[in-house]
Every structure is written in structure tokens, then in C-alpha cells.
Amino acid sequence: MAYISFPRRKEATIICFSLVTWIVVTAFFVGLRPEHLVISVLLALMLFLSGLTRRLIVALLPFVIFGISYDWMNIVPNYQVNPVDIRNLYEAEKEIFGITTAAGVLTPNEFFALHTSTVMDFLAGVFYLCWVPVPILFGIWLYFNRQYKVYLHFALVFLFVNLLGFTYYYIHPAAPPWYVASHGFDFILGTTGEVAGLGKFDEMTGLGIFNGLYSRNSNVFAALPSLHAAYMLIAFIYSLKAKCSWWLRGLFAVICLGIWFTAVYTSHHYIIDVLMGIGFTLAGFLIFEFVLMMIPAFAGFIKKYIGYISTKRY
């Protein structure tokens, strides 16, 4: 019972206001789904249960904000803000990375669509299943390993890179390769996501994981930059700063390269998308570590944040 404690009045007010705001905005502008209610109840329980669980949720706040931000992009779809780039990106990919064949010049996506293998289809699914869970699990490991500073920097850079990417989605909406293969160069309102090459993993395993994920994806025109290319790279960068084994860094590097290849192999991204995702990652990391952290007020906030999540509050 010594570990049970309720938040102070100020903390409780902030918690309740934040949860209610999230649910109300989501209900009115996105639509409540069962998982919203489950997550809200779970968050409330952990925030009010004890100091230990409250510190954990506050530590995981960057990932929570990431999830809410992604969901809230459905409020105003990016194709309502700017025209969708469909043909120009395709032509640029063909011009820069085109592969000459007997059938003419093909984009790498088109080439791989004609040259698949069962092994690569399986590995592609395995790699893509890692793109969010592995970085988040790495962050949780850092936290429980008491590497609080590295953890918080990693989590905030993860969030920062996502917000940069989400912003660019509105500046330059772009169609993925599978869209061109399925629909050509015409903009079709209401197009839902497709599993593309990842469907082969679903077929061979019978799990239907990617079909479940992409059939509900309404954020179709968000291919540039590829944030799939970003997440494991962020994890790899901070594994170099963390106290961890060499094999873990090696594993992260392999998964990172595997995801980059899979993004192109399965027609979810152009090589241009992947390169831009890498660029956004490096830019986000450098801005956070060498610009924002040089601002005394921001560095002070981060220091207090680290103190909060690393101090025992019972």
C-alpha cells in the first residue's frame, strides 16, 4: 500500500482536462472507436493509481502524443490542404532510379513487383512488423534500465521527427507507388489504404495483420517522407548513445536496412521517400540535440522532465 498515491490537485486537474479534451475532440471530429475508450480508461487508471504508474505514463507521453497526432490528422485530410503529387514523384523516381529492362524503364517498385521471392515476401513482413513496436520497446527498456536522459531524448526526437513529417504531409501530399499501380495518375477521393506487397505475408501466414492495419488507413497520401524509414534509424542512433550490447546495435542496423528495402520492395514507398525519411531523421536529431538543447529554457525544461520521471514519488 505504500506505493499507492493519488496525484496532487494540480496534477489531477491537468490529467482530467487532458483526457476529457482528447476524448471530446476525437468523438466530434474523428469518431470514437472501442480502442479509444479502452486506452482512455487504462491511462486514467495508471495516472491515478500510484506514483510509479504515473511516472511511467508521463515518461511515455511523447509516444502518446505521437499516436494522438497521427489519429487527429483524420480531422483535416492533407489532400484538402494541398494538391496531391502523383505523377511528378513517380516520374522523378523513374528519372533518378529507373531500371532499364526489355519492357522499358521501370521504377524499382515496378521492377520488384515482377521479381518477387517467397523468402523476401516473408522477411518483408517481419521487418515491417518491427517499425513501431521495436523502437517503443527499446524506449521502455531504456526507461526501466534507468537511462532516463537517453530515453527522454530518444522519445522526444521520435516525436519531433514525426511532427516534422506530419507537417510536410500537409505541405506536399504524395501518393505511394501502389496507388499509381492500382489507380494510375488520377486523384480518387475516398481511396483507402492497400497492403500492396505486404499482402503476400498475410497470405502465407494466414494472420491478416497488414490487411487489418492498412484497410483502415485513411492517410493514403502521406508517402513523402517515409516515416517507416525513420523510426528504426532513430532507435539505432540512440542505441549508440545508450549503454547497451553491440549485438543490439547490430540488430537495429539490420532491421533498419531491412525496413528501408521492404518499403521499396513492397511498393509502399519510392526510394526518394526513404531518402527523405532518413534526411528528416537526421535533421530532427541535429536540431533537437544541437539547437534546441542549446536554448537554456528548453534545456531546463528537459532537466525538470528527467527529474520528474526519475524521482520516486509515492
Side-chain angles (χ1 to χ4, degrees):
M1 294 297 295
Y3 293 91
I4 303 299
S5 72
F6 293 102
R8 292 169 297 183
R9 180 176 298 180
K10 182 179 179 180
E11 288 181 317
T13 301
I14 294 173
I15 290 169
C16 292
F17 177 79
S18 300
L19 287 174
V20 170
T21 300
W22 168 50
I23 290 297
V24 169
V25 172
T26 301
F28 275 93
F29 298 103
V30 179
L32 280 179
R33 300 189 299 271
E35 57 264 35
H36 288 130
L37 299 177
V38 172
I39 292 172
S40 64
V41 171
L42 180 62
L43 286 175
L45 286 175
M46 295 190 70
L47 285 166
F48 282 95
L49 180 62
S50 73
L52 291 174
T53 56
R54 188 157 52 252
R55 286 193 300 120
L56 176 59
I57 293 300
V58 172
L60 293 175
L61 197 56
F63 296 109
V64 174
I65 295 174
F66 151 67
I68 293 173
S69 301
Y70 182 84
D71 196 33
W72 279 7
M73 282 196 293
N74 290 303
I75 296 175
V76 180
N78 62 346
Y79 57 77
Q80 293 182 0
V81 178
N82 279 306
V84 178
D85 183 350
I86 302 175
R87 182 185 290 273
N88 291 339
L89 185 56
Y90 170 85
E91 296 294 349
E93 180 80 0
K94 182 179 285 190
E95 177 69 23
I96 301 171
F97 300 108
I99 300 172
T100 302
T101 69
V105 180
L106 304 176
T107 65
N109 311 102
E110 293 169 333
F111 178 83
F112 285 128
L114 298 173
H115 300 83
T116 61
S117 76
T118 303
V119 173
M120 278 310 309
D121 292 340
F122 179 77
L123 290 176
V126 172
F127 283 130
Y128 245 47
L129 286 175
C130 295
W131 74 289
V132 169
V134 172
I136 292 179
L137 288 174
F138 173 61
I140 293 173
W141 176 80
L142 286 174
Y143 176 78
F144 283 106
N145 200 244
R146 298 185 178 182
Q147 298 186 54
Y148 300 115
K149 181 178 179 180
V150 178
Y151 162 75
L152 190 58
H153 282 226
F154 162 71
L156 290 174
V157 168
F158 182 92
L159 174 61
F160 185 45
V161 171
N162 271 288
L163 295 180
L164 290 176
F166 294 168
T167 301
Y168 195 79
Y169 289 161
Y170 284 91
I171 296 173
H172 190 129
W178 62 257
Y179 182 91
V180 175
S182 298
H183 308 292
F185 299 111
D186 295 325
F187 172 75
I188 302 175
L189 185 65
T191 303
T192 56
E194 291 185 17
V195 292
L198 291 170
K200 295 177 181 178
F201 179 85
D202 280 354
E203 291 173 5
M204 72 172 64
T205 61
L207 297 175
I209 296 174
F210 293 109
N211 183 63
L213 290 173
Y214 285 98
S215 63
R216 296 168 56 184
N217 178 30
S218 59
N219 195 25
V220 170
F221 304 109
L224 183 70
S226 167
L227 291 179
H228 285 93
Y231 297 166
M232 279 308 306
L233 179 57
I234 299 170
F236 174 73
I237 290 172
Y238 279 94
S239 73
L240 299 177
K241 300 172 73 69
K243 296 178 182 178
C244 59
S245 302
W246 64 266
W247 64 264
L248 185 63
R249 294 167 181 157
L251 178 62
F252 283 3
V254 170
I255 295 174
C256 190
L257 292 172
I259 290 175
W260 293 351
F261 177 78
T262 296
V264 179
Y265 176 78
T266 60
S267 287
H268 277 274
H269 289 285
Y270 295 111
I271 293 177
I272 293 174
D273 303 341
V274 172
L275 292 177
M276 198 163 179
I278 295 170
F280 267 61
T281 299
L282 297 178
F285 167 74
L286 292 174
I287 291 171
F288 182 89
E289 294 289 357
F290 300 102
V291 178
L292 295 179
M293 287 303 297
M294 296 299 106
I295 302 172
F298 185 81
F301 166 74
I302 297 299
K303 184 176 180 180
K304 290 180 180 178
Y305 198 156
I306 294 171
Y308 183 91
I309 65 175
S310 61
T311 301
K312 292 184 178 181
R313 295 168 179 264
Y314 300 126

